[in-house]
PDB file of all heavy atoms in Angstrom:
ATOM      1  N   TYR H  40     -15.911   2.992 -11.819  1.00 98.00           N
ATOM      2  CA  TYR H  40     -16.257   2.765 -10.419  1.00 98.00           C
ATOM      3  C   TYR H  40     -15.784   3.940  -9.570  1.00 98.00           C
ATOM      4  O   TYR H  40     -14.702   4.510  -9.807  1.00 98.00           O
ATOM      5  CB  TYR H  40     -15.564   1.508  -9.887  1.00 98.00           C
ATOM      6  CG  TYR H  40     -15.922   0.247 -10.606  1.00 98.00           C
ATOM      7  CD1 TYR H  40     -15.337  -0.069 -11.833  1.00 98.00           C
ATOM      8  CD2 TYR H  40     -16.845  -0.654 -10.073  1.00 98.00           C
ATOM      9  CE1 TYR H  40     -15.662  -1.239 -12.506  1.00 98.00           C
ATOM     10  CE2 TYR H  40     -17.169  -1.823 -10.738  1.00 98.00           C
ATOM     11  CZ  TYR H  40     -16.574  -2.106 -11.962  1.00 98.00           C
ATOM     12  OH  TYR H  40     -16.894  -3.260 -12.632  1.00 98.00           O
ATOM     13  N   ALA H  41     -16.590   4.274  -8.569  1.00 97.00           N
ATOM     14  CA  ALA H  41     -16.136   5.155  -7.493  1.00 97.00           C
ATOM     15  C   ALA H  41     -15.616   4.274  -6.371  1.00 97.00           C
ATOM     16  O   ALA H  41     -16.222   3.258  -6.027  1.00 97.00           O
ATOM     17  CB  ALA H  41     -17.290   6.023  -6.997  1.00 97.00           C
ATOM     18  N   VAL H  42     -14.467   4.648  -5.814  1.00 98.00           N
ATOM     19  CA  VAL H  42     -13.979   3.992  -4.606  1.00 98.00           C
ATOM     20  C   VAL H  42     -14.035   5.030  -3.485  1.00 98.00           C
ATOM     21  O   VAL H  42     -14.484   6.158  -3.694  1.00 98.00           O
ATOM     22  CB  VAL H  42     -12.566   3.402  -4.795  1.00 98.00           C
ATOM     23  CG1 VAL H  42     -12.566   2.371  -5.903  1.00 98.00           C
ATOM     24  CG2 VAL H  42     -11.539   4.482  -5.079  1.00 98.00           C
ATOM     25  N   GLY H  43     -13.612   4.654  -2.292  1.00 98.00           N
ATOM     26  CA  GLY H  43     -13.705   5.583  -1.177  1.00 98.00           C
ATOM     27  C   GLY H  43     -13.059   6.923  -1.483  1.00 98.00           C
ATOM     28  O   GLY H  43     -13.556   7.980  -1.090  1.00 98.00           O
ATOM     29  N   SER H  44     -11.934   6.891  -2.210  1.00 98.00           N
ATOM     30  CA  SER H  44     -11.239   8.104  -2.614  1.00 98.00           C
ATOM     31  C   SER H  44     -10.655   7.866  -4.001  1.00 98.00           C
ATOM     32  O   SER H  44      -9.734   7.072  -4.174  1.00 98.00           O
ATOM     33  CB  SER H  44     -10.132   8.451  -1.610  1.00 98.00           C
ATOM     34  OG  SER H  44      -9.572   9.712  -1.872  1.00 98.00           O
ATOM     35  N   GLY H  45     -11.238   8.532  -5.000  1.00 98.00           N
ATOM     36  CA  GLY H  45     -10.796   8.353  -6.382  1.00 98.00           C
ATOM     37  C   GLY H  45     -11.732   7.475  -7.183  1.00 98.00           C
ATOM     38  O   GLY H  45     -12.793   7.046  -6.696  1.00 98.00           O
ATOM     39  N   ARG H  46     -11.347   7.190  -8.417  1.00 98.00           N
ATOM     40  CA  ARG H  46     -12.150   6.372  -9.322  1.00 98.00           C
ATOM     41  C   ARG H  46     -11.253   5.408 -10.087  1.00 98.00           C
ATOM     42  O   ARG H  46     -10.046   5.609 -10.183  1.00 98.00           O
ATOM     43  CB  ARG H  46     -12.928   7.252 -10.306  1.00 98.00           C
ATOM     44  CG  ARG H  46     -14.062   8.016  -9.633  1.00 98.00           C
ATOM     45  CD  ARG H  46     -14.826   8.889 -10.588  1.00 98.00           C
ATOM     46  NE  ARG H  46     -16.070   9.369  -9.973  1.00 98.00           N
ATOM     47  CZ  ARG H  46     -16.965  10.123 -10.590  1.00 98.00           C
ATOM     48  NH1 ARG H  46     -16.766  10.494 -11.849  1.00 98.00           N
ATOM     49  NH2 ARG H  46     -18.065  10.510  -9.963  1.00 98.00           N
ATOM     50  N   VAL H  47     -11.861   4.369 -10.645  1.00 98.00           N
ATOM     51  CA  VAL H  47     -11.162   3.363 -11.451  1.00 98.00           C
ATOM     52  C   VAL H  47     -12.040   3.033 -12.651  1.00 98.00           C
ATOM     53  O   VAL H  47     -13.257   2.897 -12.506  1.00 98.00           O
ATOM     54  CB  VAL H  47     -10.900   2.060 -10.658  1.00 98.00           C
ATOM     55  CG1 VAL H  47     -10.126   1.064 -11.517  1.00 98.00           C
ATOM     56  CG2 VAL H  47     -10.160   2.338  -9.378  1.00 98.00           C
ATOM     57  N   ALA H  48     -11.428   2.885 -13.819  1.00 98.00           N
ATOM     58  CA  ALA H  48     -12.157   2.462 -15.009  1.00 98.00           C
ATOM     59  C   ALA H  48     -11.611   1.129 -15.500  1.00 98.00           C
ATOM     60  O   ALA H  48     -10.408   0.863 -15.402  1.00 98.00           O
ATOM     61  CB  ALA H  48     -12.040   3.508 -16.123  1.00 98.00           C
ATOM     62  N   LEU H  49     -12.510   0.295 -15.985  1.00 98.00           N
ATOM     63  CA  LEU H  49     -12.135  -0.958 -16.653  1.00 98.00           C
ATOM     64  C   LEU H  49     -12.485  -0.837 -18.119  1.00 98.00           C
ATOM     65  O   LEU H  49     -13.546  -0.317 -18.479  1.00 98.00           O
ATOM     66  CB  LEU H  49     -12.888  -2.149 -16.050  1.00 98.00           C
ATOM     67  CG  LEU H  49     -12.669  -2.453 -14.571  1.00 98.00           C
ATOM     68  CD1 LEU H  49     -13.502  -3.661 -14.164  1.00 98.00           C
ATOM     69  CD2 LEU H  49     -11.192  -2.692 -14.266  1.00 98.00           C
ATOM     70  N   HIS H  50     -11.603  -1.336 -18.964  1.00 98.00           N
ATOM     71  CA  HIS H  50     -11.816  -1.297 -20.417  1.00 98.00           C
ATOM     72  C   HIS H  50     -11.462  -2.664 -20.976  1.00 98.00           C
ATOM     73  O   HIS H  50     -10.435  -3.247 -20.615  1.00 98.00           O
ATOM     74  CB  HIS H  50     -10.925  -0.227 -21.051  1.00 98.00           C
ATOM     75  CG  HIS H  50     -11.295   0.163 -22.447  1.00 98.00           C
ATOM     76  ND1 HIS H  50     -11.327  -0.733 -23.489  1.00 98.00           N
ATOM     77  CD2 HIS H  50     -11.660   1.362 -22.978  1.00 98.00           C
ATOM     78  CE1 HIS H  50     -11.680  -0.105 -24.594  1.00 98.00           C
ATOM     79  NE2 HIS H  50     -11.897   1.171 -24.317  1.00 98.00           N
ATOM     80  N   ALA H  51     -12.305  -3.184 -21.854  1.00 98.00           N
ATOM     81  CA  ALA H  51     -12.005  -4.473 -22.486  1.00 98.00           C
ATOM     82  C   ALA H  51     -10.701  -4.370 -23.270  1.00 98.00           C
ATOM     83  O   ALA H  51     -10.492  -3.421 -24.041  1.00 98.00           O
ATOM     84  CB  ALA H  51     -13.151  -4.879 -23.406  1.00 98.00           C
ATOM     85  N   ALA H  52      -9.811  -5.331 -23.061  1.00 98.00           N
ATOM     86  CA  ALA H  52      -8.542  -5.353 -23.783  1.00 98.00           C
ATOM     87  C   ALA H  52      -8.768  -5.755 -25.232  1.00 98.00           C
ATOM     88  O   ALA H  52      -9.813  -6.293 -25.602  1.00 98.00           O
ATOM     89  CB  ALA H  52      -7.577  -6.314 -23.098  1.00 98.00           C
ATOM     90  N   SER H  53      -7.758  -5.475 -26.055  1.00 97.00           N
ATOM     91  CA  SER H  53      -7.808  -5.795 -27.483  1.00 97.00           C
ATOM     92  C   SER H  53      -6.385  -6.053 -27.961  1.00 97.00           C
ATOM     93  O   SER H  53      -5.423  -5.771 -27.234  1.00 97.00           O
ATOM     94  CB  SER H  53      -8.423  -4.634 -28.265  1.00 97.00           C
ATOM     95  OG  SER H  53      -7.551  -3.505 -28.232  1.00 97.00           O
ATOM     96  N   PRO H  54      -6.211  -6.563 -29.172  1.00 96.00           N
ATOM     97  CA  PRO H  54      -4.838  -6.731 -29.668  1.00 96.00           C
ATOM     98  C   PRO H  54      -4.066  -5.408 -29.713  1.00 96.00           C
ATOM     99  O   PRO H  54      -2.859  -5.385 -29.495  1.00 96.00           O
ATOM    100  CB  PRO H  54      -5.049  -7.292 -31.079  1.00 96.00           C
ATOM    101  CG  PRO H  54      -6.379  -7.983 -31.011  1.00 96.00           C
ATOM    102  CD  PRO H  54      -7.209  -7.148 -30.087  1.00 96.00           C
ATOM    103  N   GLU H  55      -4.786  -4.315 -29.965  1.00 95.00           N
ATOM    104  CA  GLU H  55      -4.132  -3.002 -30.014  1.00 95.00           C
ATOM    105  C   GLU H  55      -3.828  -2.478 -28.617  1.00 95.00           C
ATOM    106  O   GLU H  55      -2.891  -1.702 -28.428  1.00 95.00           O
ATOM    107  CB  GLU H  55      -5.013  -1.989 -30.757  1.00 95.00           C
ATOM    108  CG  GLU H  55      -5.252  -2.298 -32.231  1.00 95.00           C
ATOM    109  CD  GLU H  55      -6.243  -3.439 -32.440  1.00 95.00           C
ATOM    110  OE1 GLU H  55      -7.130  -3.633 -31.563  1.00 95.00           O
ATOM    111  OE2 GLU H  55      -6.114  -4.148 -33.451  1.00 95.00           O
ATOM    112  N   GLN H  56      -4.641  -2.870 -27.636  1.00 95.00           N
ATOM    113  CA  GLN H  56      -4.461  -2.415 -26.267  1.00 95.00           C
ATOM    114  C   GLN H  56      -4.546  -3.618 -25.338  1.00 95.00           C
ATOM    115  O   GLN H  56      -5.601  -3.952 -24.801  1.00 95.00           O
ATOM    116  CB  GLN H  56      -5.532  -1.384 -25.902  1.00 95.00           C
ATOM    117  CG  GLN H  56      -5.345  -0.747 -24.538  1.00 95.00           C
ATOM    118  CD  GLN H  56      -4.067   0.053 -24.417  1.00 95.00           C
ATOM    119  OE1 GLN H  56      -3.913   1.078 -25.069  1.00 95.00           O
ATOM    120  NE2 GLN H  56      -3.143  -0.422 -23.596  1.00 95.00           N
ATOM    121  N   PRO H  57      -3.434  -4.329 -25.132  1.00 97.00           N
ATOM    122  CA  PRO H  57      -3.443  -5.536 -24.295  1.00 97.00           C
ATOM    123  C   PRO H  57      -3.630  -5.184 -22.827  1.00 97.00           C
ATOM    124  O   PRO H  57      -3.581  -4.008 -22.445  1.00 97.00           O
ATOM    125  CB  PRO H  57      -2.057  -6.140 -24.567  1.00 97.00           C
ATOM    126  CG  PRO H  57      -1.210  -4.978 -24.970  1.00 97.00           C
ATOM    127  CD  PRO H  57      -2.110  -4.046 -25.704  1.00 97.00           C
ATOM    128  N   PRO H  58      -3.840  -6.195 -21.968  1.00 98.00           N
ATOM    129  CA  PRO H  58      -4.026  -5.927 -20.545  1.00 98.00           C
ATOM    130  C   PRO H  58      -2.899  -5.092 -19.953  1.00 98.00           C
ATOM    131  O   PRO H  58      -1.719  -5.306 -20.231  1.00 98.00           O
ATOM    132  CB  PRO H  58      -4.060  -7.327 -19.940  1.00 98.00           C
ATOM    133  CG  PRO H  58      -4.637  -8.180 -21.027  1.00 98.00           C
ATOM    134  CD  PRO H  58      -4.036  -7.627 -22.288  1.00 98.00           C
ATOM    135  N   GLY H  59      -3.287  -4.141 -19.138  1.00 98.00           N
ATOM    136  CA  GLY H  59      -2.349  -3.222 -18.506  1.00 98.00           C
ATOM    137  C   GLY H  59      -3.076  -1.974 -18.059  1.00 98.00           C
ATOM    138  O   GLY H  59      -4.291  -1.855 -18.206  1.00 98.00           O
ATOM    139  N   THR H  60      -2.332  -1.026 -17.511  1.00 98.00           N
ATOM    140  CA  THR H  60      -2.924   0.171 -16.925  1.00 98.00           C
ATOM    141  C   THR H  60      -2.390   1.420 -17.600  1.00 98.00           C
ATOM    142  O   THR H  60      -1.194   1.531 -17.875  1.00 98.00           O
ATOM    143  CB  THR H  60      -2.620   0.245 -15.418  1.00 98.00           C
ATOM    144  OG1 THR H  60      -3.128  -0.925 -14.778  1.00 98.00           O
ATOM    145  CG2 THR H  60      -3.246   1.469 -14.777  1.00 98.00           C
ATOM    146  N   THR H  61      -3.286   2.374 -17.848  1.00 98.00           N
ATOM    147  CA  THR H  61      -2.881   3.711 -18.275  1.00 98.00           C
ATOM    148  C   THR H  61      -3.379   4.704 -17.240  1.00 98.00           C
ATOM    149  O   THR H  61      -4.367   4.471 -16.546  1.00 98.00           O
ATOM    150  CB  THR H  61      -3.438   4.078 -19.660  1.00 98.00           C
ATOM    151  OG1 THR H  61      -4.871   4.061 -19.622  1.00 98.00           O
ATOM    152  CG2 THR H  61      -2.957   3.103 -20.725  1.00 98.00           C
ATOM    153  N   LEU H  62      -2.674   5.816 -17.135  1.00 98.00           N
ATOM    154  CA  LEU H  62      -3.002   6.824 -16.132  1.00 98.00           C
ATOM    155  C   LEU H  62      -3.948   7.855 -16.723  1.00 98.00           C
ATOM    156  O   LEU H  62      -3.747   8.334 -17.849  1.00 98.00           O
ATOM    157  CB  LEU H  62      -1.721   7.494 -15.644  1.00 98.00           C
ATOM    158  CG  LEU H  62      -1.819   8.454 -14.456  1.00 98.00           C
ATOM    159  CD1 LEU H  62      -2.499   7.793 -13.265  1.00 98.00           C
ATOM    160  CD2 LEU H  62      -0.424   8.938 -14.079  1.00 98.00           C
ATOM    161  N   ALA H  63      -4.993   8.182 -15.981  1.00 98.00           N
ATOM    162  CA  ALA H  63      -5.950   9.191 -16.415  1.00 98.00           C
ATOM    163  C   ALA H  63      -6.466   9.936 -15.200  1.00 98.00           C
ATOM    164  O   ALA H  63      -6.471   9.399 -14.078  1.00 98.00           O
ATOM    165  CB  ALA H  63      -7.105   8.560 -17.190  1.00 98.00           C
ATOM    166  N   PHE H  64      -6.892  11.170 -15.416  1.00 98.00           N
ATOM    167  CA  PHE H  64      -7.460  12.001 -14.363  1.00 98.00           C
ATOM    168  C   PHE H  64      -8.761  12.611 -14.845  1.00 98.00           C
ATOM    169  O   PHE H  64      -8.986  12.766 -16.056  1.00 98.00           O
ATOM    170  CB  PHE H  64      -6.502  13.140 -13.985  1.00 98.00           C
ATOM    171  CG  PHE H  64      -5.217  12.701 -13.353  1.00 98.00           C
ATOM    172  CD1 PHE H  64      -4.114  12.398 -14.133  1.00 98.00           C
ATOM    173  CD2 PHE H  64      -5.105  12.595 -11.977  1.00 98.00           C
ATOM    174  CE1 PHE H  64      -2.919  11.999 -13.560  1.00 98.00           C
ATOM    175  CE2 PHE H  64      -3.912  12.188 -11.390  1.00 98.00           C
ATOM    176  CZ  PHE H  64      -2.818  11.892 -12.178  1.00 98.00           C
ATOM    177  N   GLU H  65      -9.596  12.985 -13.899  1.00 98.00           N
ATOM    178  CA  GLU H  65     -10.794  13.755 -14.186  1.00 98.00           C
ATOM    179  C   GLU H  65     -10.692  15.104 -13.477  1.00 98.00           C
ATOM    180  O   GLU H  65     -10.063  15.206 -12.416  1.00 98.00           O
ATOM    181  CB  GLU H  65     -12.047  13.026 -13.702  1.00 98.00           C
ATOM    182  CG  GLU H  65     -12.295  11.701 -14.401  1.00 98.00           C
ATOM    183  CD  GLU H  65     -13.572  11.015 -13.953  1.00 98.00           C
ATOM    184  OE1 GLU H  65     -14.182  11.455 -12.946  1.00 98.00           O
ATOM    185  OE2 GLU H  65     -13.954  10.032 -14.591  1.00 98.00           O
ATOM    186  N   THR H  66     -11.316  16.130 -14.056  1.00 98.00           N
ATOM    187  CA  THR H  66     -11.352  17.450 -13.438  1.00 98.00           C
ATOM    188  C   THR H  66     -12.651  18.151 -13.783  1.00 98.00           C
ATOM    189  O   THR H  66     -13.209  17.945 -14.866  1.00 98.00           O
ATOM    190  CB  THR H  66     -10.169  18.325 -13.906  1.00 98.00           C
ATOM    191  OG1 THR H  66     -10.307  19.640 -13.335  1.00 98.00           O
ATOM    192  CG2 THR H  66     -10.112  18.455 -15.420  1.00 98.00           C
ATOM    193  N   SER H  67     -13.125  18.973 -12.836  1.00 98.00           N
ATOM    194  CA  SER H  67     -14.333  19.751 -13.091  1.00 98.00           C
ATOM    195  C   SER H  67     -14.036  21.018 -13.892  1.00 98.00           C
ATOM    196  O   SER H  67     -14.956  21.683 -14.378  1.00 98.00           O
ATOM    197  CB  SER H  67     -15.016  20.126 -11.768  1.00 98.00           C
ATOM    198  OG  SER H  67     -14.145  20.897 -10.960  1.00 98.00           O
ATOM    199  N   THR H  68     -12.767  21.373 -14.029  1.00 98.00           N
ATOM    200  CA  THR H  68     -12.386  22.501 -14.881  1.00 98.00           C
ATOM    201  C   THR H  68     -12.618  22.110 -16.340  1.00 98.00           C
ATOM    202  O   THR H  68     -12.378  20.959 -16.721  1.00 98.00           O
ATOM    203  CB  THR H  68     -10.904  22.860 -14.667  1.00 98.00           C
ATOM    204  OG1 THR H  68     -10.710  23.222 -13.303  1.00 98.00           O
ATOM    205  CG2 THR H  68     -10.458  24.010 -15.551  1.00 98.00           C
ATOM    206  N   SER H  69     -13.077  23.044 -17.152  1.00 97.00           N
ATOM    207  CA  SER H  69     -13.253  22.726 -18.569  1.00 97.00           C
ATOM    208  C   SER H  69     -11.921  22.258 -19.140  1.00 97.00           C
ATOM    209  O   SER H  69     -10.854  22.763 -18.763  1.00 97.00           O
ATOM    210  CB  SER H  69     -13.765  23.945 -19.345  1.00 97.00           C
ATOM    211  OG  SER H  69     -12.735  24.890 -19.540  1.00 97.00           O
ATOM    212  N   ILE H  70     -11.976  21.287 -20.024  1.00 98.00           N
ATOM    213  CA  ILE H  70     -10.734  20.686 -20.531  1.00 98.00           C
ATOM    214  C   ILE H  70      -9.847  21.710 -21.242  1.00 98.00           C
ATOM    215  O   ILE H  70      -8.633  21.751 -20.977  1.00 98.00           O
ATOM    216  CB  ILE H  70     -11.044  19.475 -21.434  1.00 98.00           C
ATOM    217  CG1 ILE H  70     -11.719  18.371 -20.602  1.00 98.00           C
ATOM    218  CG2 ILE H  70      -9.759  18.937 -22.065  1.00 98.00           C
ATOM    219  CD1 ILE H  70     -10.925  17.905 -19.394  1.00 98.00           C
ATOM    220  N   PRO H  71     -10.371  22.574 -22.114  1.00 97.00           N
ATOM    221  CA  PRO H  71      -9.475  23.571 -22.715  1.00 97.00           C
ATOM    222  C   PRO H  71      -8.782  24.461 -21.676  1.00 97.00           C
ATOM    223  O   PRO H  71      -7.588  24.762 -21.812  1.00 97.00           O
ATOM    224  CB  PRO H  71     -10.413  24.387 -23.618  1.00 97.00           C
ATOM    225  CG  PRO H  71     -11.513  23.442 -23.964  1.00 97.00           C
ATOM    226  CD  PRO H  71     -11.721  22.634 -22.713  1.00 97.00           C
ATOM    227  N   ASP H  72      -9.521  24.856 -20.630  1.00 98.00           N
ATOM    228  CA  ASP H  72      -8.910  25.692 -19.592  1.00 98.00           C
ATOM    229  C   ASP H  72      -7.870  24.899 -18.799  1.00 98.00           C
ATOM    230  O   ASP H  72      -6.801  25.426 -18.457  1.00 98.00           O
ATOM    231  CB  ASP H  72      -9.979  26.215 -18.642  1.00 98.00           C
ATOM    232  CG  ASP H  72     -10.842  27.300 -19.264  1.00 98.00           C
ATOM    233  OD1 ASP H  72     -10.480  27.796 -20.347  1.00 98.00           O
ATOM    234  OD2 ASP H  72     -11.889  27.641 -18.666  1.00 98.00           O
ATOM    235  N   ALA H  73      -8.175  23.638 -18.504  1.00 98.00           N
ATOM    236  CA  ALA H  73      -7.223  22.807 -17.761  1.00 98.00           C
ATOM    237  C   ALA H  73      -5.939  22.604 -18.564  1.00 98.00           C
ATOM    238  O   ALA H  73      -4.827  22.668 -18.013  1.00 98.00           O
ATOM    239  CB  ALA H  73      -7.858  21.461 -17.417  1.00 98.00           C
TER     240      ALA H  73
END
Side-chain angles (χ1 to χ4, degrees):
Y40 300 79
V42 300
S44 188
R46 289 180 168 182
V47 182
L49 299 180
H50 195 301
S53 68
E55 296 75 28
Q56 186 63 67
T60 302
T61 61
L62 188 54
F64 294 89
E65 297 182 349
T66 176
S67 60
T68 300
S69 75
I70 296 303
D72 287 349

